């Protein structure tokens, strides 16, 4: 919702000269209104409302409790809203409850958060109208594997995990994918998490000859490993997953640590005008603000395409990509984002930036 006079006149002129431009649509925004996730719910509603105003789209907030017991009330509220599409859905329970009814009404749902592979498999099998901007559970392992194969194929590689379910499954998925193409790590280990130091682990890595290490651990453990490797003068390049994209705890992350993670959309060139307009309006584009903005824009463009093709919005969603603040957005046959949202990033001076070419292959 760009509030400058110039932008307003441009939009008005575009409307006059483009009769095919459809009117807005009615969108249910499913997000928590209270409780521990209320702040995230506000981000979703702020982003959706900011985009909707420019096209005359109507936003209907629908409270999400993230409690299985609230599924029936959520479904009734969605159906009573008269919405043509729904976005949001922070919680798997909400989607599971609402999707059968949305399917009956041919109402597409775009989740910004839920990554469950099982739910998407069920949705495809039962022909539920679920699409997602959040990456799938398998996407992270696939992106990490691709980064390792592309940049470290001839490097002495170590794979380590912290013993938690997520870490162990992520590292195992990467290990299996690498094995299929003949890449074998020189060292594997499970370390004890949340320790003040990891000197013994660093020394085992040095003894193994590994110079490039993928860790499935969290940010603080990775920061401890990087610090201790530096202190022990052990030259290793560390790569982590999306869990590294978090705040520092006890130990700051060392410059040069790599992560396969999702870039901050507020720093992208595509989003720059919208980010400036949001900040001018007192909205900080954190968290789900820009994804919600993009989801509404995506649906509005899909409605334009649907009316042009004389088809349903549901069909048009698969016809993209459409231009958004997140870049071009389209969905593949599995209703996942056609383009991976993960990128190889490097920690530099307090934030993750695109990994320079000279740092990708070391």
């Amino acid at each position: 919702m760009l509030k400058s006079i110039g932008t307003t006149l441009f939009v008005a002129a575009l409307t006059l000269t483009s009769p095919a431009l459809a009117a807005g649509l009615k969108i249910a925004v499913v997000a928590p209104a209270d409780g521990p996730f209320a702040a995230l719910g506000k981000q979703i509603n702020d982003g959706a409302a900011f985009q909707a105003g420019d096209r005359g789209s109507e936003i209907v907030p629908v409270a999400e409790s993230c409690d299985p017991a609230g599924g029936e009330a959520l479904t009734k509220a969605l159906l009573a809203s008269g919405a043509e599409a729904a976005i949001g859905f922070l919680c798997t329970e909400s989607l599971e409850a609402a999707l059968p009814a949305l399917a009956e009404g041919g109402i597409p749902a775009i989740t910004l958060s839920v990554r469950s592979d099982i739910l998407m498999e069920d949705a495809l099998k039962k022909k539920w109208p679920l699409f997602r901007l959040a990456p799938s559970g398998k996407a992270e392992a696939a992106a990490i594997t691709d980064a390792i194969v592309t940049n470290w194929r001839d490097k002495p590689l170590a794979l380590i995990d912290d013993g938690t379910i997520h870490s162990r499954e992520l590292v195992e998925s990467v290990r299996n994918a690498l094995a299929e193409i003949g890449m074998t790590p020189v060292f594997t280990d499970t370390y004890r998490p949340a320790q003040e130091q990891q000197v013994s682990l660093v020394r085992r890595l040095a003894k193994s000859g590994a110079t490039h290490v993928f860790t499935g651990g969290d940010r603080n453990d990775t920061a401890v490993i990087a610090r201790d490797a530096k202190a022990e003068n052990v030259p290793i390049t560390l790569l982590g997953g999306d869990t590294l994209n978090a705040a520092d705890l006890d130990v700051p992350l060392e410059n040069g640590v790599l992560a396969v993670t999702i870039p901050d959309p507020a720093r992208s060139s595509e989003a720059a005008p919208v980010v400036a307009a949001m900040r001018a309006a007192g909205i900080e584009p954190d968290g789900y603000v820009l994804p919600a903005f993009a989801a509404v824009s995506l649906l509005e463009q899909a409605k334009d395409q649907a009316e042009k093709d004389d088809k349903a919005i549901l069909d048009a969603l698969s016809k993209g990509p459409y231009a958004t603040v997140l870049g071009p957005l389209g969905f593949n046959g599995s209703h996942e984002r056609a383009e991976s949202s993960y990128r190889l990033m490097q920690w530099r001076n307090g934030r993750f930036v695109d990994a320079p070419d000279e740092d990708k292959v070391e």
Side-chain angles (χ1 to χ4, degrees), residues 285-310:
D286 290 333
Y288 291 106
V289 174
L290 287 175
F293 182 98
V296 173
S297 174
L298 176 68
L299 285 168
E300 289 173 338
Q301 293 176 74
K303 182 175 182 179
D304 291 343
Q305 188 66 49
E307 294 194 352
K308 178 181 177 182
D309 296 341
D310 195 23

Side-chain angles (χ1 to χ4, degrees), residues 197-213:
Q197 55 87 16
Q198 292 287 357
V199 174
S200 62
L201 171 63
V202 167
R203 289 174 178 170
R204 292 197 302 275
L205 285 165
K207 187 177 180 180
S208 75
T211 58
H212 291 67
V213 182

Side-chain angles (χ1 to χ4, degrees), residues 169-180:
E169 290 182 347
L170 178 61
V171 172
E172 187 64 21
S173 294
V174 171
R175 188 198 334 263
N176 290 339
L178 293 175
E180 290 181 3

Side-chain angles (χ1 to χ4, degrees), residues 149-355:
V149 171
T150 301
N151 303 299
W152 294 358
R153 193 177 188 105
D154 299 322
K155 306 298 180 183
L157 173 68
L159 303 177
I160 58 177
D161 69 82
D162 65 9
T164 61
I165 293 175
H166 171 76
S167 177
R168 189 171 63 247
E169 290 182 347
L170 178 61
V171 172
E172 187 64 21
S173 294
V174 171
R175 188 198 334 263
N176 290 339
L178 293 175
E180 290 181 3
I181 59 172
M183 285 187 67
T184 304
V186 300
F187 179 80
T188 59
D189 197 12
T190 298
Y191 65 87
R192 192 174 177 184
Q195 302 299 295
E196 292 183 1
Q197 55 87 16
Q198 292 287 357
V199 174
S200 62
L201 171 63
V202 167
R203 289 174 178 170
R204 292 197 302 275
L205 285 165
K207 187 177 180 180
S208 75
T211 58
H212 291 67
V213 182
F214 171 67
T215 171
D218 66 18
R219 182 184 175 99
N220 197 60
D221 286 333
T222 303
V224 170
I225 294 168
R227 179 204 63 191
D228 291 352
K230 184 178 180 180
E232 291 288 309
N233 199 27
V234 174
I236 59 173
T237 300
L238 276 170
L239 168 67
D242 199 34
T243 56
L244 297 197
N245 201 354
D248 280 330
L249 294 178
D250 301 326
V251 180
L253 199 63
E254 294 281 340
N255 278 343
V257 172
L258 298 167
V260 171
T261 187
I262 299 172
D264 180 1
R267 296 182 180 275
S268 71
S269 57
E270 292 95 339
V274 173
V275 167
M278 284 182 170
R279 286 177 172 152
I283 298 173
E284 189 59 32
D286 290 333
Y288 291 106
V289 174
L290 287 175
F293 182 98
V296 173
S297 174
L298 176 68
L299 285 168
E300 289 173 338
Q301 293 176 74
K303 182 175 182 179
D304 291 343
Q305 188 66 49
E307 294 194 352
K308 178 181 177 182
D309 296 341
D310 195 23
K311 291 189 175 181
I313 295 175
L314 193 56
D315 298 316
L317 279 173
S318 299
K319 195 166 183 177
Y322 300 103
T324 76
V325 293
L326 302 183
L329 282 182
F331 299 99
N332 60 24
S334 298
H335 293 191
E336 309 280 5
R337 283 183 63 166
E339 295 284 335
S340 173
S341 52
Y342 286 109
R343 299 288 183 271
L344 182 60
M345 312 287 287
Q346 185 182 66
W347 187 253
R348 284 288 173 193
N349 303 321
R351 65 186 181 96
F352 278 110
V353 298
D354 288 334

